[in-house]
Amino acid sequence: MKGLPKEIAALDEEILAFIHQGVEHRDEDTFNRLALKAFALQFRLLSPYREYCARRGVTPERISSWEEIPPLPTEAFKVAEISLFPQLAARTFMTSGTTRGEERGRVTYDQGGLALMDATIDVAAASYLFPEGGRYLIFIIAPPPALAPHMVMAYGMERLRSRFGLPESRFLVSENGFQIDLLVDALHRAEAEEIPTAIFGGSFGFVNFFDYCRQVGIRFSLPPGSRCLDAGGFKGRSREVTREEFLVLCEEFLGVPNPFCVNLLGMTELASQFYDNTIYNRYKGLDLPRRKTNPPWTRTLVVDPETLEPLPPGEEGFLRHFDLANRGHCCAIQTDDLGFLWEGGFEVLGRATGGEGRGCSLTIDEMTRIAK
Amino acid sequence: MRVIEGYYLPPRLRGLCKEVRAQVYNGITLHLPVVTKGLVQEVVKGLREARERYLARLPISHIVGVLDEASRWWLKEDYPLRQEALAVIPAITGLSRAVVKASIDAEMESSLSEDIWQALHSELGNPHYLDGFQYCSELAGHRRAYGPGLLIAIFSGNIPALPHLLFMRSALVKAACLGKMAAGEPAFTPLYLRTIEAIDPQMAEAMAALYWPGGEAEIEEALFKEADAVVIFGGVEACQGILARVPRDKKIICHSHRIGFGFIGRGALRKEAIPRLAEGVAYDHAMFDQHACLAPQAYFVEEGGEVTPQVFAQAVAEAMGVWEERMPRGRISRGEAAAIHQLRARYELGGERMLFTPNKGTAWTVAYEEAPPSFTSSPLNRFVRIWGVKEIFASLPLIRPLVPFLQNAAVAIGDEREGEFIARLGELGVSRVTSPGQMPLPSMMWRHDGIATLASLLRWCDVEKKEL
């Protein structure tokens, strides 16, 4: 297989070096320079994106800041091949598609792009999830990559397991579903042997586990240093709980205190991930509110839902992410997640919904529900 | 802050309402009575008594006269209640003032005496059957129509000036009527009923409008038990839920959410006809911001005319810009904005498609593509979809899965195929065929959702007695 062009490999080297500088700096100039370089490349190599930018009057020559880079809406990944080197695909991830027959977004990674993603996973987790170092017993309430080859969360968690996990660490969702008994046994053992444990998984998997524990009357008191990492929301696969309730449940059923429970915002369209800052803050002795953190190779803006113009901190709008590790597809991604910027991080409030019950025409949501 | 009453009780019954709570909508405070089972039972008792005492004895010509007068008052620019409606409904519904004004004008212009008489003639044959026994030559005897004693209506949605149609119908069949206001637009109906009160206070004694939160089964079941007829507007699932609670012996009319389409054939795509046609298509989307069931979900446009569907889409885009100036789109939620932005991306990046938008914002969108293999619903809020088809009849398989929801179709085929095309739409279940530019403007004669809405409320007595 032909490798990546030299110029690309050289850019990847620069981005990799930037990621490996860790999370303790805010090098704006380098970020901006690399973002513009990646944009110029994506503009040149992705013809649908080039036309998209041209219609907005944006070319690499005309802009000087990453904030001016036109973001692609997530929907773009459902209708177009957004990949610089589809012929060099090393991995393809797909969005989950929540309703019947819904098309799924596709994001393809070449080898260099995958190496960038791997680096973001390693560096971000080493800072925001396991800053104290060491290895943990990791149990993952999600399917392993072999069962879910297109699920980016499975890929990321496998990477975490291999980098930070003790040998007995494992995935707990098989073809037959969530192996809840295995988790119960493993947690009893971890408790008895006082091995710090990390539980990862979809948010709904945790809630279903807590509901099970309540039903059968078990509670754990995991050893100090144990932690929880949840991602992905509930998606109708468990009951919905608020973040506050979720944290109470982690403490109640696992004995994992509030700061050691972090939520991760990850998206198929993004190579990087955004962690809650609580483990990091505690480790650094910082007294700051719980927020999602941008590692230095990413930026997040909040934009006005109507005009898509950036909003000042504190105002609610749609999150727009910039991720240098997205070199292989598109660094700027426009989501329809609602959130706001605040004190060096951001908060995500969930998908924007609405429009039900206005007129008397059949709505998208109504149509979807009836079709089910 | 402006304070208005979000309910109507006739003067005689106003004392029944002991407790009022305030609900704030974007700077407007609505006073809403705290509604209990006991209250609604008292109210409908009062309405029924007023009906027996007065409304049921009124000649139909008097009722038509009052309704005509009310429409005329509402059409006057300086009528204070119209002014009030124009001040509060935009704030409550998010629709622009221009759209609210246009919808009040459209509704009232089609509610004048000539329309009302025609609707009565078209459904009843002879409107005076409502007054007493009339000779019917087909029967070779006398015949009379009786309306229900009490009609309960459940409204939904935010389309202003629509519930008043139901109050007109109930008055025409001489029924007392209690309407449950829609949470999305509780302001217009109380104002309209105050107009009736000003013209004929005794007639208004048989009319009331209240609001209570959906799912108050106890209140609704008590009302359904009292009612002779129930008319329901709402979402498909909500209607089914309510229907399940209406006793079997009641007359029921159900208008659940529906959809419309437009169809333009190659014969209609003549160069000189394009500006008017495009303006009409744009108007169909702009009116009510495309929220009404009357609005199109998409326009199918046939290839092979003087003008291609793509060029036609561009003409519609220009017209959308003009309508935005004349009658701006209203406020939308963040979720609605997200749906528009994301769907636009599909058109921009999805290959053989075209997209026209204003420079900024979501005020309108025109998208062109070849008709997709299966239907997906529009995000509405003035999102125009022009779907190119090689042959206009090829559009029919695409709408076939939507048969239970079909309502309105704008048709301009432009050649001899039009009759056959309309026949096919009728077979599929379309209940109104009109021209592009007329979709939001049904007449009072239209049999809404295919139902003869007045006749369906009536009970008849035929005298077939032969003199020996």
Side-chain angles (χ1 to χ4, degrees):
Chain A
M1 190 173 77
K2 202 169 129 280
L4 288 166
K6 271 207 183 87
E7 155 198 38
I8 309 288
L11 176 60
D12 284 359
E13 282 302 313
E14 282 194 89
I15 298 171
L16 265 182
F18 193 67
I19 294 169
H20 282 297
Q21 276 179 46
V23 306
E24 299 298 328
H25 70 93
R26 274 289 131 172
D27 183 348
E28 285 295 337
D29 289 345
T30 309
F31 179 84
N32 198 45
R33 187 173 60 76
L34 292 175
L36 292 172
K37 229 170 164 174
F39 170 60
L41 191 72
Q42 290 163 354
F43 183 90
R44 200 173 79 221
L45 295 175
L46 274 177
S47 64
Y49 185 48
R50 181 164 62 245
E51 287 158 25
Y52 188 84
C53 294
R55 271 195 295 274
R56 284 155 181 77
V58 176
T59 64
E61 298 75 37
R62 283 195 205 146
I63 62 168
S64 58
S65 158
W66 61 270
E67 286 159 297
E68 298 167 83
I69 297 172
L72 276 184
T74 46
E75 197 74 11
F77 294 87
K78 293 183 184 169
V79 291
E81 171 78 73
I82 309 290
S83 169
L84 265 52
F85 302 103
Q87 71 283 14
L88 297 180
R91 254 345 243 264
T92 297
F93 298 111
M94 290 166 83
T95 56
S96 54
T98 47
T99 51
R100 199 181 70 127
E102 192 182 298
E103 297 153 283
R104 299 168 69 184
R106 292 166 55 89
V107 182
T108 297
Y109 284 81
D110 54 59
Q111 209 61 57
L114 202 60
L116 295 177
M117 182 194 270
D118 289 345
T120 71
I121 295 169
D122 296 350
V123 176
S127 312
Y128 301 122
L129 185 58
F130 299 117
E132 310 89 341
R135 284 196 169 241
Y136 293 74
L137 251 182
I138 297 177
F139 298 110
I140 304 168
I141 313 174
L147 275 187
H150 299 302
M151 185 183 186
V152 74
M153 182 163 87
Y155 179 87
M157 292 194 170
E158 166 56 19
R159 178 97 192 162
L160 293 178
R161 189 195 63 81
S162 67
R163 294 279 138 156
F164 301 95
L166 289 165
E168 305 79 44
S169 300
R170 58 177 298 182
F171 283 85
L172 292 166
V173 173
S174 71
E175 294 97 328
N176 305 320
F178 181 12
Q179 297 163 292
I180 220 158
D181 297 348
L182 288 182
L183 182 59
V184 170
D185 290 348
L187 294 183
H188 278 311
R189 217 168 46 240
E191 212 174 11
E193 295 170 19
E194 294 190 10
I195 312 168
T197 301
I199 306 174
F200 301 166
S203 313
F204 59 85
F206 278 89
V207 172
N208 288 333
F209 181 63
F210 298 145
D211 286 350
Y212 170 84
C213 291
R214 190 189 304 277
Q215 200 190 333
V216 300
I218 41 175
R219 281 172 184 217
F220 300 93
S221 178
L222 295 178
S226 295
R227 58 204 69 202
C228 297
L229 174 73
D230 77 292
F234 305 106
K235 298 178 178 164
R237 296 172 69 180
S238 73
R239 64 195 171 90
E240 301 261 335
V241 303
T242 63
R243 180 75 354 216
E244 291 70 29
E245 286 173 78
F246 188 88
L247 295 168
V248 169
L249 292 169
C250 288
E251 172 109 50
E252 183 181 344
F253 290 104
L254 299 171
V256 176
N258 178 317
F260 285 93
C261 300
V262 289
N263 175 259
L264 175 102
L265 173 62
M267 295 173 65
T268 305
E269 297 84 353
L270 290 179
S272 298
Q273 320 84 48
F274 307 109
Y275 286 84
D276 280 350
N277 55 2
T278 51
I279 292 178
Y280 176 84
N281 287 346
R282 195 187 155 280
Y283 180 70
K284 292 277 171 187
L286 301 169
D287 184 19
L288 290 170
R290 180 185 288 267
R291 296 287 175 237
K292 293 283 178 295
T293 316
N294 279 106
W297 57 91
T298 69
R299 296 289 184 273
T300 295
L301 293 176
V302 170
V303 299
D304 182 276
E306 173 65 20
T307 63
L308 302 181
E309 298 283 336
L311 291 171
E315 284 189 31
E316 276 179 33
F318 299 147
L319 298 177
R320 177 186 294 177
H321 304 294
F322 293 82
D323 185 355
L324 292 181
N326 274 13
R327 187 277 296 148
H329 47 291
C330 180
C331 291
I333 302 291
Q334 182 60 58
T335 75
D336 47 11
D337 289 329
L338 282 172
F340 58 88
L341 298 178
W342 204 245
E343 293 185 24
F346 64 93
E347 192 53 77
V348 52
L349 303 166
R351 281 281 288 280
T353 55
E356 277 284 281
R358 294 250 272 150
C360 51
S361 183
L362 212 59
T363 60
I364 293 178
D365 290 354
E366 203 174 359
M367 199 84 202
T368 311
R369 287 196 306 267
I370 294 166
K372 268 183 187 170
Chain B
M1 192 187 284
R2 201 178 259 270
V3 180
I4 61 158
E5 287 189 345
Y7 68 103
Y8 175 83
L9 285 174
R12 223 185 258 262
L13 303 178
R14 235 161 258 172
L16 292 172
C17 171
K18 304 283 187 240
E19 199 186 344
V20 170
R21 66 190 172 86
Q23 186 162 332
V24 179
Y25 274 92
N26 300 304
I28 307 291
T29 302
L30 273 173
H31 279 168
L32 300 167
V34 175
V35 175
T36 59
K37 182 178 160 189
L39 174 68
V40 294
Q41 281 170 330
E42 286 294 311
V43 168
V44 296
K45 187 163 159 266
L47 298 177
R48 252 188 205 280
E49 283 168 9
R51 183 231 177 213
E52 303 308 328
R53 197 167 55 234
Y54 185 74
L55 179 60
R57 295 159 191 252
L58 278 181
I60 188 69
S61 57
H62 176 91
I63 299 170
V64 174
V66 171
L67 298 176
D68 174 74
E69 185 76 11
S71 300
R72 287 180 197 282
W73 288 16
W74 273 87
L75 285 167
K76 283 191 198 124
E77 289 282 346
D78 58 353
Y79 179 49
L81 298 189
R82 174 188 165 103
Q83 300 276 343
E84 186 161 347
L86 288 176
V88 300
I89 295 175
I92 293 170
T93 59
L95 295 168
S96 72
R97 185 183 157 94
V99 166
V100 175
K101 194 163 174 286
S103 71
I104 290 175
D105 286 344
E107 295 292 338
M108 294 301 166
E109 274 162 15
S110 62
S111 304
L112 296 169
S113 72
E114 196 185 337
D115 310 280
I116 303 172
W117 282 120
Q118 279 181 14
L120 287 167
H121 277 285
S122 123
E123 289 200 25
L124 277 71
N126 179 355
H128 297 286
Y129 288 136
L130 288 162
D131 288 343
F133 283 97
Q134 305 287 325
Y135 185 73
C136 169
S137 56
E138 294 91 342
L139 180 71
H142 286 71
R143 160 173 285 175
R144 182 171 178 178
Y146 300 87
L150 174 68
L151 191 157
I152 301 296
I154 308 285
F155 299 112
S156 85
N158 67 340
I159 308 298
L162 270 181
H164 94 282
L165 270 173
L166 201 273
F167 278 94
M168 290 180 73
R169 288 178 193 152
S170 69
L172 290 171
V173 299
K174 306 183 186 179
C177 182
L178 169 65
K180 184 204 168 192
M181 298 295 89
E185 201 293 273
F188 181 83
T189 307
L191 294 173
Y192 178 77
L193 296 182
R194 276 166 60 191
T195 307
I196 302 291
E197 184 187 314
I199 299 169
D200 184 344
Q202 292 198 74
M203 208 169 120
E205 295 275 342
M207 301 173 176
L210 292 170
Y211 173 78
W212 57 88
E216 291 269 358
E218 201 195 16
I219 294 172
E220 285 167 15
E221 274 157 29
L223 283 174
F224 295 153
K225 214 172 126 201
E226 297 283 333
D228 300 299
V230 177
V231 181
I232 307 164
F233 297 82
V236 176
E237 297 142 309
C239 280
Q240 281 162 358
I242 297 170
L243 275 176
R245 291 188 279 120
V246 180
R248 288 286 182 90
D249 59 335
K250 312 296 178 184
K251 284 189 191 296
I252 299 173
I253 298 178
C254 182
H255 299 287
S256 57
H257 289 176
R258 301 267 174 168
I259 48 180
F261 288 96
F263 304 88
I264 297 178
R266 62 178 84 92
L269 292 163
R270 285 171 292 109
K271 269 203 182 90
E272 73 278 7
I274 295 306
R276 259 197 83 199
L277 193 58
E279 166 157 342
V281 170
Y283 174 72
D284 288 343
H285 291 85
M287 188 60 163
F288 307 122
D289 292 352
Q290 209 183 350
H291 290 179
C293 47
L294 298 164
Q297 284 272 334
Y299 254 86
F300 292 92
V301 179
E302 194 178 36
E303 292 170 12
E306 268 181 44
V307 168
T308 64
Q310 291 91 328
V311 171
F312 183 65
Q314 185 163 8
V316 174
E318 280 162 31
M320 287 305 289
V322 174
W323 276 111
E324 175 62 16
E325 303 253 311
R326 277 186 215 153
M327 196 168 81
R329 212 263 329 263
R331 265 194 335 262
I332 62 173
S333 73
R334 297 180 298 196
E336 289 172 296
I340 292 172
H341 289 302
Q342 295 287 355
L343 188 57
R344 282 179 176 180
R346 297 181 70 87
Y347 283 97
E348 273 201 79
L349 294 150
E352 300 298 305
R353 294 163 171 176
M354 291 168 81
L355 182 75
F356 306 92
T357 65
N359 283 335
K360 258 201 174 55
T362 60
W364 57 266
T365 306
V366 178
Y368 164 80
E369 69 187 313
E370 249 180 55
S374 63
F375 175 79
T376 51
S377 32
S378 163
L380 307 178
N381 295 303
R382 304 194 182 181
F383 200 111
V384 181
R385 296 183 295 177
I386 303 291
W387 285 351
V389 278
K390 294 222 163 27
E391 226 292 323
I392 199 69
F393 283 82
S395 58
L396 297 173
L398 193 64
I399 63 169
R400 190 175 295 278
L402 306 167
V403 160
F405 312 114
L406 293 179
Q407 186 195 56
N408 212 354
V411 175
I413 304 301
D415 54 43
E416 71 292 345
R417 297 170 301 161
E418 185 159 296
E420 171 63 14
F421 192 78
I422 290 173
R424 299 284 291 277
L425 290 177
E427 281 165 22
L428 278 178
V430 165
S431 63
R432 177 173 172 255
V433 176
T434 186
S435 307
Q438 296 294 313
M439 292 184 84
L441 305 172
S443 73
M444 249 198 108
M445 279 62 78
W446 173 43
R447 297 187 169 196
H448 190 169
D449 295 338
I451 301 164
T453 45
L454 292 167
S456 300
L457 292 170
L458 298 175
R459 171 178 70 75
W460 295 87
C461 178
D462 291 347
V463 180
E464 294 190 314
K465 190 169 133 66
K466 301 279 183 258
E467 293 303 327
L468 289 175

